[in-house]
Structures are given as structure tokens and as C-alpha cells.
């Protein structure tokens, strides 16, 4: 089961990254569960896909792009959940993902149910 779970999480994470890097905030937001919280330090907390999409659209509109996870670590929490942590960089910023909790959905895809990251520079 964990291979199927990890594959689903890696695909969903790559889909989020592709959305950001192709300037598609809707694709980014679609990787989150409908009521997911996202804590983006120092910007604040955003709840739900509408607020999360607006956050990513704002960054895209400011010219942020080319995000890359530089040291991703995947920790299986249970039969349906994975914790992803990593450092990240993009064209105009860098930072750390403290917590991305991905949960396997009934359709076999993974959704982000809790996201906490920080911009360090």
C-alpha cells in the first residue's frame, strides 16, 4: 500500500509544482482539499481552495516562478497519509516546507490537507 500511497503523493506534489511553474494558480489550488488550511509565513493563514488559489495567483502575478523542492523527504504517517518536508527555492525567494500532509482520496489521488511553509529570503 505504501508504494501506491507514495506514488499518489509524488504525482500530486509534481502536479502542484507544474501548476505553479506554468503560472496556473487553479491547478495549484486543485491539489488541496476543499477546506485545507495553508500557513504561509510571513504572509498569514489561508483556508480553503478559493483563498489558497488567490494566494498563489498573487505570487504568480508578482513574477514568482520556477519553484523546486531541493531536499524532499516523504514520511508515511499511516495507510492514507504522508508528511512531506523539504527546502525549496524559486526565482525570487527560498524557504522551507515545514509540513505538507497529503491524504489518499477514495479516487486514488492525493490531496493536501494541511500545508505550512516559510519564506526565508
Amino acid at each position: 500500500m505504501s508504494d501506491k500511497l507514495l506514488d499518489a503523493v509524488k504525482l500530486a506534489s509534481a502536479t502542484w509544482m507544474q501548476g505553479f511553474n506554468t503560472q496556473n494558480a487553479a491547478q495549484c489550488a486543485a491539489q488541496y482539499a476543499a477546506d485545507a488550511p495553508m500557513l504561509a509565513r510571513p504572509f498569514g493563514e489561508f483556508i480553503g481552495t478559493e483563498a489558497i488559489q488567490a494566494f498563489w495567483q498573487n505570487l504568480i502575478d508578482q513574477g514568482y516562478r520556477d519553484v523546486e523542492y531541493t531536499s524532499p523527504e516523504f514520511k508515511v504517517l499511516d495507510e492514507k497519509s504522508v508528511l512531506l518536508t523539504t527546502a525549496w527555492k524559486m526565482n525570487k525567494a527560498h524557504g522551507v516546507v515545514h509540513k505538507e500532509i497529503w491524504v489518499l482520496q477514495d479516487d486514488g489521488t492525493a490531496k493536501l490537507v494541511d500545508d505550512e511553509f516559510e519564506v526565508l529570503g
Side-chain angles (χ1 to χ4, degrees), residues 71-116:
S71 56
E73 293 184 19
F74 298 86
K75 179 182 178 189
V76 175
L77 300 176
D78 59 38
E79 68 278 353
K80 288 193 170 218
S81 305
V82 171
L83 169 65
L84 170 59
T85 57
T86 186
W88 59 267
K89 63 182 180 178
M90 63 176 65
N91 64 322
K92 294 168 60 169
H94 69 275
V96 63
V97 172
H98 295 289
K99 173 178 66 175
E100 284 184 2
I101 298 180
W102 294 87
V103 173
L104 192 64
Q105 305 299 297
D106 291 339
D107 66 2
T109 65
K111 293 284 185 189
L112 196 46
V113 300
D114 196 356
D115 187 8
E116 181 181 335

Side-chain angles (χ1 to χ4, degrees), residues 39-44 98 116-120:
L39 179 57
R41 290 186 276 177
F43 306 106
H98 295 289
E116 181 181 335
F117 65 92
E118 186 172 5
V119 176
L120 299 176

Side-chain angles (χ1 to χ4, degrees), residues 16-27:
W16 176 90
M17 200 171 300
Q18 177 194 41
F20 188 82
N21 289 337
T22 60
Q23 310 289 275
N24 185 340
Q27 183 175 327

Side-chain angles (χ1 to χ4, degrees), residues 38-82:
M38 181 180 78
L39 179 57
R41 290 186 276 177
F43 306 106
E45 187 169 27
F46 303 84
I47 308 288
T49 53
E50 188 176 317
I52 289 169
Q53 181 174 335
F55 173 84
W56 292 122
Q57 188 63 58
N58 182 49
L59 281 188
I60 288 167
D61 291 347
Q62 294 179 53
Y64 290 87
R65 62 182 181 284
D66 303 326
V67 71
E68 177 186 335
Y69 284 1
T70 57
S71 56
E73 293 184 19
F74 298 86
K75 179 182 178 189
V76 175
L77 300 176
D78 59 38
E79 68 278 353
K80 288 193 170 218
S81 305
V82 171

